[in-house]
Amino acid sequence: MLDQLKRAAADALAELAAVDAEAELAAWRSRHLGKKSPIKTLLGGLGALDATERPQAGREANLAQRRLQAAFDERRAALERAAHEASLGAEALDVTLPGRLPRRGRLHVSTLILRRIAAVWAEMGFQVYRSRDVETDEYNFQLLNFPPFHPAREMQDTFFTTEPDVILRTHTSPGQIHVMRERCPEPIRVILPGMCYRYEQITARSEIQFNQVEGLAVGPGIRMSDLKGTLTDFARRMFGPDTRTRFRCSHFPFTEPSAEMDIECFLCGGDGCRVCKRAGWLEILGCGMVHPVVLENGGYDPGRYSGFAFGMGPERIAMLRHEIQDIRLFWGNDMRFLEQF
Ligand code: DAH
């Protein structure tokens, strides 16, 4: 019996030494420490032994059992240590490698310039008024004093929809009517920024969509000198305190008189260069005194109220500023372009 015990224990230990995976270890445990292990079986046969041999055999069996348990614990710990070491090696982090930079988002160049324009007008007391992109022929043209079939409409090739008279706005000016009808008889100082749409051939100089920033001031006693002073102040805040401006006669159906404002070229200071095409001046916006018919269409009595309006193209200003040669770049989604701002 004692020999059998020794042999069973020695076999078990030899087997354990060869175990090197967790699954094998579990199988070994149920084989040698479970209810049907060789040692348990021998213990079960104790009763058949002589009473004098029984105590010693029992002690030896328990001893062998404990030794196997201890060997098992040790082997398990060794395997766990080895697995841990292996994972440390395999999953090692090299903290000296350069990091991977996340791609940072940024604002579109048009958004940047729109915000700059809005900030300057805000300093001067003008609120932002958001007007709709989808308009009717009535608001986009008729109420702004463009009668049906008037040749001034030819400047603004229009996107029509399948709904009769529903169009995409060709300029931000229809917002003038919306804001006047909403605010009348209050005085008004607002800018109206937003996207405009024209059915144009897309070239380096013309796009089917672009932003405009419209402006409108209405109140009692507003004069042409207010228009000139306010727009010149804007130009100085926007382009620098020494910026000179000049106003040239023009025509828009919704203003009378109408003008175009130029600023002295900020690249050459008026000497003449590539950007200003040797003129020394850059055309920045259209403007004028609000036409009496338009004031009336907005609900204001032109006998008591007057106002001025203006409209500028932020993409055009950005093109001059950054010497961008092709307007298609704005909506072309080329990261090499967009990442420069
Ligand atoms: N709506 C004009 C256009 O798209 C721009 C403009 C000119 C707006 C003069 C105005 C203005 O308010 O007074 O060509």
Side-chain angles (χ1 to χ4, degrees):
M1 172 84 171
L2 290 177
D3 287 347
Q4 281 174 303
L5 266 173
K6 261 185 211 142
R7 211 176 311 121
D11 287 352
L13 288 174
E15 236 180 83
L16 183 62
V19 164
D20 58 6
E22 222 177 295
E24 287 174 46
L25 195 65
W28 183 93
R29 174 194 224 169
S30 71
R31 213 158 44 243
H32 294 289
L33 295 171
K35 284 201 195 91
K36 292 192 182 133
S37 73
I39 292 177
K40 288 266 168 60
T41 309
L42 287 170
L43 268 171
L46 272 186
L49 287 185
D50 208 79
T52 52
E53 291 178 23
R54 227 181 277 150
Q56 199 201 348
R59 239 180 289 125
E60 290 290 339
N62 282 330
L63 205 64
Q65 181 87 4
R66 256 179 278 135
R67 219 182 294 133
L68 290 192
Q69 180 68 49
F72 170 81
D73 291 343
E74 201 177 290
R75 185 83 196 126
R76 180 163 64 181
L79 284 181
E80 277 172 4
R81 246 187 340 264
H84 185 224
E85 299 274 304
S87 84
L88 279 181
E91 295 161 26
L93 263 189
D94 183 350
V95 294
T96 65
L97 286 174
R100 250 167 270 163
L101 283 180
R103 286 181 78 127
R104 288 178 63 204
R106 61 183 66 235
L107 293 176
H108 190 275
V109 54
S110 293
T111 307
L112 291 171
I113 197 112
L114 278 167
R115 288 192 179 185
R116 174 95 191 96
I117 292 170
V120 169
W121 284 107
E123 284 171 8
M124 295 164 66
F126 283 67
Q127 293 178 312
V128 170
Y129 184 94
R130 293 235 163 250
S131 188
R132 50 200 302 174
D133 290 26
V134 178
E135 274 295 358
T136 55
D137 182 277
E138 186 189 18
Y139 273 84
N140 196 80
F141 294 118
Q142 293 168 46
L143 294 169
L144 291 169
N145 208 23
F146 292 79
F149 307 109
H150 192 279
R153 289 180 177 227
E154 298 223 338
M155 300 281 291
Q156 306 194 5
D157 286 330
T158 310
F159 280 113
F160 294 88
T161 67
T162 47
E163 295 285 311
D165 289 333
V166 176
I167 63 170
L168 298 185
R169 66 176 172 191
T170 57
H171 52 170
T172 45
S173 305
Q176 288 190 29
I177 304 292
H178 288 292
V179 70
M180 282 194 279
R181 289 187 169 182
E182 194 181 300
R183 300 275 170 93
C184 184
E186 304 280 313
I188 294 173
R189 274 113 180 86
V190 292
I191 58 164
L192 306 101
M195 199 65 88
C196 303
Y197 309 87
R198 291 190 196 177
Y199 183 58
E200 304 247 13
Q201 188 179 6
I202 301 173
T203 68
R205 327 222 78 240
S206 64
E207 251 289 7
I208 59 171
Q209 64 173 85
F210 52 89
N211 284 287
Q212 281 190 347
V213 178
E214 187 90 9
L216 178 68
V218 177
I222 292 180
R223 300 185 300 181
M224 185 79 184
S225 53
D226 296 314
L227 176 155
K228 291 179 77 174
T230 309
L231 287 175
T232 298
D233 192 18
F234 164 76
R236 294 195 180 132
R237 290 169 189 257
M238 185 78 193
F239 300 106
D242 299 326
T243 305
R244 293 206 301 155
T245 54
R246 81 177 178 187
F247 291 80
R248 286 178 290 106
C249 293
S250 186
H251 170 79
F252 302 102
F254 40 90
T255 46
E256 181 60 34
S258 304
E260 229 118 16
M261 185 178 86
D262 297 341
I263 61 169
E264 203 166 48
C265 180
F266 43 65
L267 272 157
C268 63
D271 293 343
C273 68
R274 197 158 33 94
V275 170
C276 61
K277 305 212 187 74
R278 317 224 57 86
W281 295 92
L282 300 167
E283 186 188 316
I284 288 296
L285 53 80
C287 57
M289 299 307 288
V290 181
H291 196 288
V293 166
V294 174
L295 280 173
E296 213 161 77
N297 288 340
Y300 289 83
D301 174 0
R304 296 174 50 208
Y305 290 90
S306 52
F308 66 80
F310 54 88
M312 65 186 98
E315 278 86 27
R316 198 186 129 67
I317 293 175
M319 287 174 82
L320 295 170
R321 255 255 140 92
H322 305 296
E323 291 193 64
I324 299 165
Q325 312 286 350
D326 193 326
I327 197 172
R328 289 169 294 196
L329 287 165
F330 284 87
W331 321 119
N333 241 358
D334 185 335
M335 293 301 284
R336 292 167 303 179
F337 172 72
L338 297 173
E339 279 176 350
Q340 293 179 49
F341 304 98

